[in-house]
Amino acid sequence: QVQLQESGPGLVKPSQTLSLTCTVSGGSITTKYYYWSWIRQSPGKGLEWMAAIGYSGSTYYSPSLKSRASISRDTSKNQFTVQLSSVTPEDTAVYYCARYLGDYSDYGFVSWGQGTQVTVSS
């Protein structure tokens, strides 16, 4: 029922800021007890969780990206956005948005977008 769709540039130059938006349909991003996350996967590597914003607006960041990442939301559009500053070729990856269920005993990523390829190159 809930669907997520990533949007943003496919190519970004080094040192620029990457901005990706996730549009959610079939459910509200303010509904308890869901958290809205960004996850990326580099070639030959596993999934790396980046950041999340909760149903109440609380934000969470990966320690490795805390200095460069910023997550926000637009409840009127049912969208959330991640910005990653000062990108380098190491930021080249497939970026996913996902829905996380954070109830007391029921938890886990329950919905995923299809992913969007982002290449950092000059």
Side-chain angles (χ1 to χ4, degrees), residues 33-51:
Y33 293 97
Y34 294 105
Y35 299 78
W36 305 90
S37 301
W38 283 97
I39 301 161
R40 67 181 183 179
Q41 183 175 37
S42 300
K45 298 181 180 180
L47 299 173
E48 178 187 17
W49 177 80
M50 299 175 64

Side-chain angles (χ1 to χ4, degrees), residues 13-122:
K13 296 182 181 298
S15 81
Q16 293 187 332
T17 296
L18 170 65
S19 182
L20 296 171
T21 295
C22 184
T23 300
V24 179
S25 62
S28 173
I29 61 174
T30 63
T31 297
K32 294 180 179 178
Y33 293 97
Y34 294 105
Y35 299 78
W36 305 90
S37 301
W38 283 97
I39 301 161
R40 67 181 183 179
Q41 183 175 37
S42 300
K45 298 181 180 180
L47 299 173
E48 178 187 17
W49 177 80
M50 299 175 64
I53 186 164
Y55 60 94
S56 66
S58 57
T59 58
Y60 311 86
Y61 297 96
S62 167
S64 64
L65 298 173
K66 183 178 181 179
S67 65
R68 296 195 293 135
S70 178
I71 192 166
S72 60
R73 67 178 182 173
D74 185 337
T75 58
S76 68
K77 297 180 179 179
N78 217 37
Q79 295 177 328
F80 62 103
T81 296
V82 67
Q83 292 185 301
L84 187 66
S85 65
S86 303
V87 299
T88 73
E90 292 187 0
D91 293 311
T92 294
V94 177
Y95 286 76
Y96 300 89
C97 55
R99 180 177 63 148
Y100 180 86
L101 174 61
D103 206 349
Y104 182 79
S105 58
D106 295 317
Y107 56 91
F109 290 99
V110 293
S111 302
W112 292 76
Q114 65 182 7
T116 184
Q117 172 70 50
V118 177
T119 300
V120 180
S121 176
S122 61

